[in-house]
Amino acid sequence: MNFVGIGPQELIVILVVALIFVGPQRLPKLAADLARMIREVRQYTGGIAAEFNEAIKEFEKDTEPERTQWKEIGQGLADASRAADDVARVVEADVQGAPKAADTTAEPASNGAAPPPATNGAAPEPAAKTEDRA
């Protein structure tokens, strides 16, 4: 038996102290007053809890359309995120599996000139000849 964290030994000590200080004539009235006060506090807190629960239910009923809309938005975002992840995985797999277009073993130009364009195996076009007209 534990009442508000007070064990049986502590309860007996409290009753003995109350009997000594209050006296045997007023102790029953004090106990009745204490019991009435505890009952009123329980009723008051029960009423407050009922009002709070009613307010919460009313709030949930009033905000149901918005909550449903936010759930749909969240689901759409989750679906879009999954789709983007899938596309990223496919692109990454394509990039890793694709053959290299340019020869990476060639030394880059050290004179600051731009590297020659990739030819993709085709022969380079001959340069245009200019004639002197003098």
Side-chain angles (χ1 to χ4, degrees), residues 12-133:
I12 291 173
V13 170
I14 291 171
L15 289 175
V16 169
V17 170
L19 183 63
I20 292 172
F21 282 110
V22 175
Q25 294 83 16
R26 292 190 313 181
L27 188 60
K29 183 178 181 332
L30 181 66
D33 290 343
L34 184 61
R36 186 173 4 99
M37 185 177 68
I38 290 173
R39 188 172 37 251
E40 288 175 359
V41 167
R42 283 185 181 171
Q43 288 175 350
Y44 180 72
T45 57
I48 289 175
E51 287 180 27
F52 181 75
N53 288 336
E54 184 179 327
I56 292 296
K57 286 179 184 177
E58 185 177 322
F59 178 75
E60 287 176 348
K61 186 176 75 172
D62 291 344
T63 59
E64 181 64 30
E66 289 84 7
R67 288 189 299 139
T68 303
Q69 186 177 15
W70 281 109
K71 284 180 184 177
E72 291 172 0
I73 290 171
Q75 184 64 37
L77 289 174
D79 293 344
S81 175
R82 279 192 293 274
D85 287 343
D86 292 345
V87 168
R89 277 191 222 104
V90 167
V91 168
E92 184 178 349
D94 286 348
V95 167
Q96 289 177 353
K100 295 183 180 179
D103 185 18
T104 57
T105 60
E107 294 280 330
S110 59
N111 62 359
T119 59
N120 293 334
E125 292 183 21
K129 294 184 180 180
T130 58
E131 295 181 17
D132 290 341
R133 295 184 183 184

